[in-house]
Amino acid sequence: MITRVHQRGALVGVAVRRAYAPRDVSDPTPQLIAAWDGSGELADLDAPARPGGHDTARLITLLAEPLTSQASPPSTRPVWRCTLELEAGERRLSEREWGDAVRELLHEAGLAPRGDHNAVRWIAVAHGGSRVDIVATLVRQDGRIEPARDDRRRCVDATHALERRLRLRPAPPTPATTPPVPPHAPPSRRTTPPSTRDRLRRQVRAAAIVATDEDDFFARLRGAGLRVRLRPGHADDRPSGYAVSHPASPGGGQPVWFGGGQLAPELSLPHLRNRWARTPRTHDEDVPASAGQRQRVWQQASDAVSTESNGIADHAEPVAAERIHAVADILTAAASALPDPPAHLVFDAAELLHRAIGRSRPTFAPDARAVHLRSLARLVGLMGQLSDDRDFAAALHLVYLIAGFADSLATVRQAQQQRSHAAAAYTAAAHLHAASRPRPPNRAATAPTAGTPPAPVAVPVAPWQHSRRRSR
């Protein structure tokens, strides 16, 4: 189950109409399945269907009554919205199960505690058995303002409890709930395939790293076989957002759509535009890539990562979130030159590095070193698509260096008492240590003679890669 707590709004009508709006022509007819205590019969409260949509006027008026009865409107945005959605492999829930799940989530989030008849007003609109949209107004019926503090974390915790109670497949752990792991713990083997959201995030991030603008970005997504849906803008012809999905399965299953910001904060379209505007094209992108040029790019990336790693290890400067994001992007780009299984470990480690940064949204500030790292990430991604055995060895060396970077970052996060972030960095380092020691692929161009085993890649091993004591 995926929980999305959306940005709070100011207009009740907009939120209710969004809750009733279908995603596409195949979306089931929306239906009101639960509402606040004392709301009356759901059949009388539900918005009747009309040509072109639903008549939500009466429902909006009733939901907004605590707001309109205030002498002065609240200063903060008083409209709260959340979406619960099941992934393709999870069983569908009945209306009764959905209603109980929504009430439990709102109880755990503190918006509508059980037995509190003066709590906020809310509604839950189901779209078949796979998705429910929740809208609430953050003015209680006794006139007090509901702050809904820490609502995102509390909703995620409630989702995990619902998954256990309803016997659903659990979603991947978030940074706030990831338990700490000991330094250099061996990476656990994946027992289940990555979720739809994980696979989409990986593909979208890889396209964003090498793209130069949004047209190039959307073309790369479609070229990778993804479906892309653009959200129209208001002031100009440019889209205000996008969503992606994999094609519908041959068995008739409906595609699951995710907006860019739902995959990761730094993958929303405004953030990507800011990134592309601050990462200009380089001369190397316009010249056909020769073997020597590719080696030069790999070396430049290795030198830049070493500089950042030394800065963190020596405590010479504070940890810059923008540079960590950029190093993680270099790691994602380097995975394109690697075969499975090391590529799989490298992709996972890159996502863990993003988690080790924390909740801060990337600003893509004019940091010259961050800009240089992002430019290198784009070049590494482009060169990795033309890789040969020498690029494979260079990519492994770069992975080895970023393992040291992750190790130093974990030490800093541990000293800052940021345990979940330290755990993410430790696990990323363990993944990268394991990925940086495989043999190169047995390519036809460099196949060894019969009876001669291929030579392993020579990757330097630092002393701390074998053993290194840390204070816990």
Side-chain angles (χ1 to χ4, degrees), residues 365-406:
D367 183 327
R369 280 162 58 180
V371 170
H372 179 58
L373 287 166
R374 290 198 298 271
S375 297
L376 287 172
R378 179 188 291 166
L379 285 173
V380 167
L382 292 172
M383 303 304 169
Q385 298 169 3
L386 308 170
S387 60
D388 58 18
D389 284 334
R390 288 199 299 170
D391 294 304
F392 178 83
L396 283 185
H397 181 66
L398 180 58
V399 168
Y400 161 75
L401 292 175
I402 298 180
F405 174 88

